[in-house]
Amino acid sequence: MNLNRRSVLRGIGAAGLSASMPGVFAPAIAQSKPVRIGILAPRSGAMGTVGECGIRAVQWAADRMNKDGGIAGRPVELVFEEETSPKDTIERFRRLVLQEKVDCVQGLISTGVSMGVAPVAEEEQALLIMWDGTTQDGVKEAMPDARYVFRSTDNECEAVMSSLLSVKYFGNKIKRVAGINPDYSYGRNNWEAFRQILTRAGVQYEVVAEQWPKVGTMDLTSHIAALKAAKPDFIFSSMLFADLPVFMKQGSAAGLFEGVNLALPAAGWQLNQLKKSFMPENIVFGHNTLYFALPDASPLQKAFVEDYMERYQQAPHWEADRAYFALAAYKAGTEAAAKATGRWPKLDEIIDAIPRQEVQSLGGPGRFRADKIAEQVFYQGLSTNDNAYDFPTLRTVNAYTADQLQKPPGMDFWEWLKTAKLPV
C-alpha cells in the first residue's frame, strides 16, 4: 500500500466520538475538522524497514486514539510524505506545512536530514516532533533554544548504556578491544564514549583494531579479516543498518566471534534480521526504548506487540515506540492546553504544555525536557538464543532512564562523561 503523499483518515467523525465518549474534553470548535498530523518517514533504502516500523506504529496509535475520542474530541488524520535526502525532505516538509496545512509534523530518523529540516521548522513556525532525529552537530546541541522543534534523546544514549553494561558484565575480562563502527559522527562518537567509559571504570585494556566501514557496505570480509588478525577478546560495534546482519553473518562464518565478547548498542533496529544461526549468545544487545519481550510490560505494550506480531509476523523495534511517543506527547500537550483554556489551544499554548506532560509510551513512561529533548527508558542486556523465535532475546534485562545516559541541558557531553554519576 502506497502511503506517500496521501492523506489517510483514521476513525470516525468528531461528533460521533463526542457522543459516544462524553468524558472526553472536547471544545465545541474541535468538532468541525480533524487534527492533521504530517508524517515524514523513510520508505526505502537503508532505513526503509526502520521507517516502516514507525509508520505501522503511528497508524496503530491513531486508530487507538480515535476509538478513544481522538485528540481533545477531534479525530486524527495522518498525512504521509517520505524522508529521503535533506533537500527533498525539506521540500516535502514545506508541502505538509504550507499546502496540506497540517497541525504538526512528526517523524524523521536521520540526524543528517533532521539537521536540515529543523531550521526550516523554526523559520515557518511549524511544530515538529522528531521520532529519532536530533539537532546534534556531533555531540553538541546545535539548536539549544529551538522554539518549534522537539528532538529525540541524544544519539549517544545507547552507546553509553552498552559501555556501562560491558563493564558490569565483563569488567576486567576486557583486555584486547576492537571496534567496527560506521564511518560518520555517530559511529566515531559512540566508539570514543565506549573507550572513555572503560577508562573511567579502571578497565586496563588496549585497542588492537579500529575499522570504519562506510554505511551500507555489504562486503565486510576485509574488515573482518583485519579484526580477526588483531585477536581481540571484545568487539564494540554501533553498526545499525542492514550492514549489521551482514557483519554478524560474515563474521560468524569466518570464526571471528569464537572466544570473543561483543557489545551491539543499536542491534534492536535489525532484530528480525539477526538470526540465531549466526548470532553468538551473551552479547550486550541494545533495544533502545522498546524491548518487545519485556517481562513486566505495560498493558499498552502487550496489546501493541501482540497485534504487531500477529499482523506482520515480525517483532517491533524501538522506532515503533518513538513514533507512538511523538503522537502521544502531542496529544497530551494539546489536551492539557485545551483543558486550561476551555477552547482549542493556540500553537504556542500547545508547545508550552508539551514539556510538562509525562506520557505512557509503548516502552514505558517518557517526557520532553524544557529544552525539548526527550527522556525515555532504555533497555539492553545479555542476549540468549534460548527462545521460541529465530532471533535472540534478552537473558538479562537492564533498564536505564535517559537522564542517566545523556548530558543535561547546556552541558558538554565529554565533560559530562568525565563527571557524571553513572548507573554502574
Side-chain angles (χ1 to χ4, degrees), residues 40-277:
L40 279 169
R43 299 299 305 275
S44 59
M47 292 189 296
T49 59
V50 175
E52 188 69 36
C53 184
I55 288 170
R56 291 168 176 173
V58 78
Q59 290 174 311
W60 189 88
D63 285 342
R64 186 181 180 91
M65 289 177 186
N66 283 338
K67 289 175 183 176
D68 288 339
I71 296 178
R74 290 171 58 182
V76 178
E77 180 183 355
L78 304 178
V79 186
F80 290 87
E81 288 281 359
E82 187 170 7
E83 175 186 353
T84 53
S85 68
K87 179 177 180 295
D88 290 344
T89 306
I90 289 170
E91 179 182 329
R92 293 168 188 145
F93 174 83
R94 283 201 164 105
R95 182 184 299 126
L96 287 170
V97 172
L98 301 176
Q99 297 179 24
E100 296 289 349
K101 306 293 184 182
V102 298
D103 298 280
C104 174
V105 178
Q106 300 180 11
L108 299 180
I109 293 172
S110 165
T111 289
V113 175
S114 59
M115 283 285 284
V117 175
V120 179
E122 294 290 306
E123 175 188 329
E124 300 291 349
Q125 299 183 0
L127 178 56
L128 170 62
I129 305 177
M130 298 180 184
W131 290 356
D132 231 321
T134 73
T135 50
Q136 288 181 241
D137 181 5
V139 297
K140 182 179 180 182
E141 177 53 54
M143 296 177 63
D145 301 316
R147 173 62 181 165
Y148 298 92
V149 179
F150 289 76
R151 286 88 84 200
S152 163
T153 55
D154 283 355
N155 288 329
E156 300 77 37
C157 285
E158 54 260 37
V160 170
M161 185 167 181
S162 279
S163 304
L164 294 171
L165 293 185
S166 297
V167 173
K168 175 182 175 68
Y169 288 118
F170 301 107
N172 289 324
K173 295 179 182 178
I174 302 174
K175 301 294 183 184
R176 297 174 58 82
V177 173
I180 177 167
N181 295 280
D183 189 18
Y184 68 110
S185 61
Y186 174 82
R188 291 187 177 273
N189 290 329
N190 284 351
W191 171 240
E192 180 60 26
F194 170 71
R195 293 176 57 186
Q196 289 200 21
I197 289 172
L198 289 189
T199 299
R200 184 176 166 187
V203 177
Q204 301 297 312
Y205 72 95
E206 62 174 320
V207 175
V208 297
E210 294 183 356
Q211 294 294 305
W212 303 101
K214 300 292 184 184
V215 172
T217 301
M218 293 301 169
D219 182 1
L220 295 163
T221 51
S222 63
H223 298 280
I224 289 167
L227 291 174
K228 189 174 181 181
K231 298 181 179 179
D233 56 40
F234 198 96
I235 297 174
F236 176 93
S237 178
S238 56
M239 297 170 76
L240 71 167
F241 298 113
D243 46 7
L244 176 59
V246 171
F247 168 65
M248 296 305 297
K249 188 173 185 178
Q250 293 178 357
S252 176
L256 174 62
F257 308 130
E258 295 173 9
V260 176
N261 293 310
L262 294 95
L264 304 177
W269 247 9
Q270 301 299 325
L271 175 64
N272 296 284
Q273 288 72 43
L274 293 170
K275 305 302 183 182
K276 291 191 291 191
S277 59

Side-chain angles (χ1 to χ4, degrees), residues 21 50 83 92 147 166 191 232 257 291 297 314 319 327 402 407 410 414 418:
M21 299 194 65
V50 175
E83 175 186 353
R92 293 168 188 145
R147 173 62 181 165
S166 297
W191 171 240
F257 308 130
Y291 175 45
Q314 291 182 329
E319 210 56 47
L327 190 57
K407 63 185 181 296
W414 301 117
K418 294 175 184 176

